[in-house]
């Protein structure tokens, strides 16, 4: 046995400190070093956490959910849709105002009719003058010279592009071509865009495109190619949302230019390439900032969560590894049972398992020591007898020595058989599944066998079941063969201490949630100092028998079997009548077994 008051030479300094030994540490560093030490320890802690598989999984899963949420917000932003709708409505209002201004002041004079003298000479008899070849007397075309100043004045502050088409869909005027009007779309790239720029364009196109059509620049004679311009020339207002090749959103509206309910042309207003995208980008940057802050908070919370999971699990794993290596005589598993979660349950299970393991190891060590001690006695006696046998001078001495040898051999055989049975007991109880055992039938059968065999004693066994009726069940979960071994051992033990002609009483009753089995005899009883010791291995108290007639393992095996079934066994003396001096007497011994009932 190890002296647990002495430190283990293989024990590390950290282990010695954990055992409660005072540790005197001198720190010569100034006080200013302590914050640095704390930062260093915090860094080591988070560094250790970062390399934990469980921590990486927790952080990755939490960040994956946040990234998916932010990506869905960026892709399905309601702000972008509302911004586009608001921009389209504002462009419609602007287009109506500008179209009204053009119709009011940017057409040809309406109080004069243009007459061509040359055509008057070409008129035939009965033919009337129908004006010029292009226009009827009531058709007043849009004058680009008058439109340009008005368009310049109204378009410049709006940062939009205006195009005016005639009734045939031909371009009359484009605000991009007006002098002193700023151009807001980006100039064409001088060289092929790089990988980064192409990647940004691809991402922006993916975010903005959706189901929107692609915007293409049509020629000046193809105004009807724009659906909104075609509808405007038919007298309807319409707006369109498209995406250009750079992934920028283009919102365009077209309204008819009306005067006296006549359509003189169409006005098309469209946003510049990065007009809406700047606002959308600003909104997305704000979302990304919020997502970044949320990600930082989530990483910190994930690390804290991981520290409450991965840290205790790592400590439990390290302790289990030390238990396997047996670095110290006894390793204590960290106690997290105060936590009402799976970690606490795991800690409690590991502590119970380790305690049971150490108890089993100590029991095996003690059993091995007891076996060695018990085997050494008959072997020593046998050796002495064998060594003395050649020196015997007569037949009587030789016969006595042979009797000693035979007795010691039988004793060794009995010890080895009982030791083998005791060593197999735990393994058999663990391998076999527990089944319901009917104690009424089991006890009746064992009593009948004991009455028939008597086991060398003329002592009968009387069985009694106490209950409300004969149909009451006395069932427990267990192994019938091992429970039968316990009862047989108790009956044999009671018969061996009883006088010939007496009885051993076997009683079975239900006590609340347990089944109680009582074995009473009329023997001399048990000494008070032996009531607990009789269940120890190799202990025997049989003064009426010769030395070595009993191995002392019967009651120990019985207690081991009862404990494995979750029950209890104890011994007591049955009180008898008072003697002449008024002192209590003993009527016999009583063994009580209680097992959990079904």
């Amino acid at each position: 046995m190890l002296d647990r008051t002495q430190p283990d030479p293989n024990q590390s300094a950290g282990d010695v400190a954990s055992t409660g030994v005072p540790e005197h540490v001198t720190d010569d560093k100034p006080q200013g070093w302590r914050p640095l030490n704390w930062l260093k320890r915090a860094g080591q802690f988070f560094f250790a956490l970062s390399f934990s598989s469980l921590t990486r999984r927790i952080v990755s899963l939490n960040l994956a959910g946040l990234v998916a949420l932010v990506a869905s917000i960026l892709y399905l932003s309601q702000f972008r849709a509302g911004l586009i709708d608001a921009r389209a409505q504002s462009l419609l209002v602007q287009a109506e105002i500008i179209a009204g201004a053009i119709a009011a002041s940017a057409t040809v004079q309406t109080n004069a009719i243009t007459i061509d003298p040359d055509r008057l000479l070409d008129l035939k008899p009965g033919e009337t003058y129908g004006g010029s070849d292009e226009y009827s007397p009531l058709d007043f075309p849009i004058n680009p010279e008058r439109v340009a100043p008005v368009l310049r004045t109204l378009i410049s502050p709006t940062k939009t592009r205006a195009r005016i088409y005639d009734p045939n869909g031909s371009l009359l005027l484009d605000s991009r071509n007006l002098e002193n009007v700023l151009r807001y779309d980006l100039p064409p790239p001088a060289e092929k865009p790089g990988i980064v720029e192409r990647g940004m364009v691809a991402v922006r196109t993916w975010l903005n495109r959706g189901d929107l059509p692609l915007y293409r620049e049509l020629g000046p004679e193809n105004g009807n190619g724009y659906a909104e311009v075609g509808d405007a020339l038919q007298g309807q207002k319409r707006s369109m949302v498209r995406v250009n090749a750079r992934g920028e959103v283009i919102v365009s509206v077209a309204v008819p230019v009306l005067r006296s309910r006549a359509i003189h042309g169409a006005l098309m207003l469209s946003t510049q390439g990065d007009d809406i995208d700047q606002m959308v980008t600003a909104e997305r940057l704000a979302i990304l900032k919020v997502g970044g802050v949320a990600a930082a908070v989530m990483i910190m919370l994930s690390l804290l969560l991981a520290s409450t999971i991965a840290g205790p699990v790592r400590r439990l794993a390290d302790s289990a590894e030390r238990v396997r290596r047996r670095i110290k005589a006894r390793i204590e598993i960290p106690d997290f049972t105060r936590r009402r979660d799976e970690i606490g349950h795991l800690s409690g299970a590991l502590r119970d398992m380790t305690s049971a393991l150490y108890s089993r190891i100590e029991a095996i060590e003690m059993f091995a020591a007891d076996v060695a001690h018990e085997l050494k006695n008959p072997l020593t006696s046998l050796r002495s007898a064998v060594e003395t046998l050649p020196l015997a001078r007569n037949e009587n001495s030789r016969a006595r020595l042979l009797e000693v040898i035979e007795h010691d051999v039988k004793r060794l055989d009995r010890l080895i058989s009982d030791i083998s049975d005791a060593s197999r007991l735990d393994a058999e109880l663990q391998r076999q599944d527990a089944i319901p055992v009917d104690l009424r039938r089991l006890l009746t059968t064992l009593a009948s066998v004991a009455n028939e065999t008597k086991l060398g004693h003329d002592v009968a066994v009387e069985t009694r079941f106490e209950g409300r009726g004969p149909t009451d069940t006395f069932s427990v979960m267990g192994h019938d063969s091992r429970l039968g071994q316990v009862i047989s051992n108790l009956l044999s033990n009671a018969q061996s201490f009883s006088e010939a002609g007496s009885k051993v009483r076997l009683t079975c009753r239900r006590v609340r949630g347990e089944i109680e089995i009582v074995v009473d005899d009329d023997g001399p009883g048990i000494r008070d100092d032996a009531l607990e010791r009789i269940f120890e291995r190799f202990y025997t108290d049989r003064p009426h028998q010769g030395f070595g007639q009993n191995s002392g393992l019967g009651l120990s095996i019985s207690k081991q079997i009862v404990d494995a079934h979750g029950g209890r066994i104890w011994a007591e003396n049955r009180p008898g009548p008072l003697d002449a001096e008024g002192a209590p007497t003993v009527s016999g011994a009583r063994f009580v077994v209680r097992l959990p009932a079904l």
Side-chain angles (χ1 to χ4, degrees), residues 55-272:
T55 303
R56 291 196 301 270
R57 292 179 184 180
I58 292 175
V59 175
S60 299
L61 290 177
N62 288 338
L63 285 181
L66 180 61
V67 169
L69 177 62
V70 172
S72 62
I73 292 176
L74 293 177
Y75 185 73
L76 304 174
S77 177
Q78 296 297 323
F79 173 80
R80 175 174 172 267
L83 181 62
I84 292 175
D85 292 339
R87 187 60 170 159
Q89 293 297 327
S90 66
L91 284 179
L92 281 175
V93 174
Q94 295 177 21
E96 290 177 350
I97 294 174
I98 297 174
I102 292 173
S105 62
T107 57
V108 296
Q109 295 181 358
T110 59
N111 57 356
I113 299 178
T114 303
I115 299 176
D116 188 357
D118 295 332
R119 292 203 52 192
L120 290 175
L121 298 176
D122 296 334
L123 289 178
K124 297 179 181 180
E127 186 178 359
T128 60
Y129 180 76
S132 63
D133 295 337
E134 298 181 1
Y135 304 103
S136 65
L138 298 178
D139 188 13
F140 306 106
I142 297 175
N143 189 349
E145 295 181 358
R146 287 181 174 271
V147 169
V150 176
L151 198 61
R152 182 186 299 112
T153 303
L154 296 177
I155 291 298
S156 297
T158 61
K159 296 183 179 180
T160 56
R161 179 185 178 186
R163 281 169 282 186
I164 300 177
Y165 293 91
D166 63 10
N168 296 324
S170 298
L171 182 65
L172 294 178
L173 193 63
D174 189 348
S175 63
R176 290 197 310 180
N177 299 326
L178 297 178
E179 297 181 359
N180 301 325
V181 176
L182 296 177
R183 295 186 181 184
Y184 297 101
D185 48 324
L186 296 175
E191 55 183 9
K192 186 177 180 180
I195 297 178
V196 177
E197 185 176 356
R198 290 201 302 269
M200 293 178 62
V201 171
V203 172
R204 185 165 54 194
T205 303
W206 175 76
L207 291 174
N208 293 338
R209 178 67 185 270
D211 55 352
L212 298 180
L214 184 63
Y215 174 80
R216 291 183 177 87
E217 193 73 30
L218 303 179
E221 302 298 330
N222 298 326
N224 289 323
Y226 297 109
E228 60 270 32
V229 174
D231 291 345
L233 293 177
Q234 299 297 324
Q236 298 178 1
K237 299 181 293 184
R238 186 174 179 181
S239 62
M240 288 291 294
V241 181
R242 300 182 180 88
V243 176
N244 63 11
R246 296 181 58 83
E248 299 167 341
V249 177
I250 304 295
V251 180
S252 60
V253 298
V255 297
V257 179
L258 299 175
R259 183 176 178 85
S260 300
R261 297 184 181 180
I263 300 175
H264 293 270
L267 171 64
M268 179 180 177
L269 292 183
S270 59
T271 59
Q272 301 294 330

Side-chain angles (χ1 to χ4, degrees), residues 333 345-358:
I333 300 295
H345 296 163
L346 177 62
S347 174
L350 287 178
R351 288 174 62 86
D352 294 340
M353 181 188 69
T354 306
S355 178
L357 177 62
Y358 281 126

Side-chain angles (χ1 to χ4, degrees), residues 316-424:
L316 292 175
D318 293 341
S319 299
E321 184 68 19
R322 288 198 299 271
V323 170
R324 185 183 68 84
R325 294 180 179 179
R326 295 288 299 227
I327 295 177
K328 295 195 299 183
R330 193 178 185 96
I331 304 297
E332 288 293 335
I333 300 295
D335 187 6
F336 300 113
T337 54
R338 291 177 296 180
R339 296 177 48 159
R340 303 299 181 184
D341 55 8
E342 287 74 8
I343 300 297
H345 296 163
L346 177 62
S347 174
L350 287 178
R351 288 174 62 86
D352 294 340
M353 181 188 69
T354 306
S355 178
L357 177 62
Y358 281 126
S359 299
R360 180 68 58 84
I361 292 174
E362 292 173 357
I364 292 174
E365 292 175 351
M366 294 177 61
F367 181 74
D370 294 340
V371 167
H373 177 73
E374 292 299 323
L375 291 177
K376 187 175 182 180
N377 291 334
L379 284 176
T380 303
S381 175
L382 183 62
R383 178 182 178 182
S384 299
V386 171
E387 291 177 351
T388 308
L389 182 61
L391 303 178
R393 296 180 180 180
N394 51 48
E395 292 297 328
N396 292 333
S397 300
R398 187 177 293 104
R400 287 197 301 271
L401 290 175
L402 291 176
E403 290 178 359
V404 171
I405 292 174
E406 182 180 3
H407 176 270
D408 290 336
V409 169
K410 290 181 178 180
R411 183 182 175 190
L412 282 174
D413 180 68
R414 186 168 48 252
L415 280 173
I416 292 174
S417 299
D418 291 342
I419 290 170
S420 176
D421 187 23
S423 62
R424 291 198 311 268

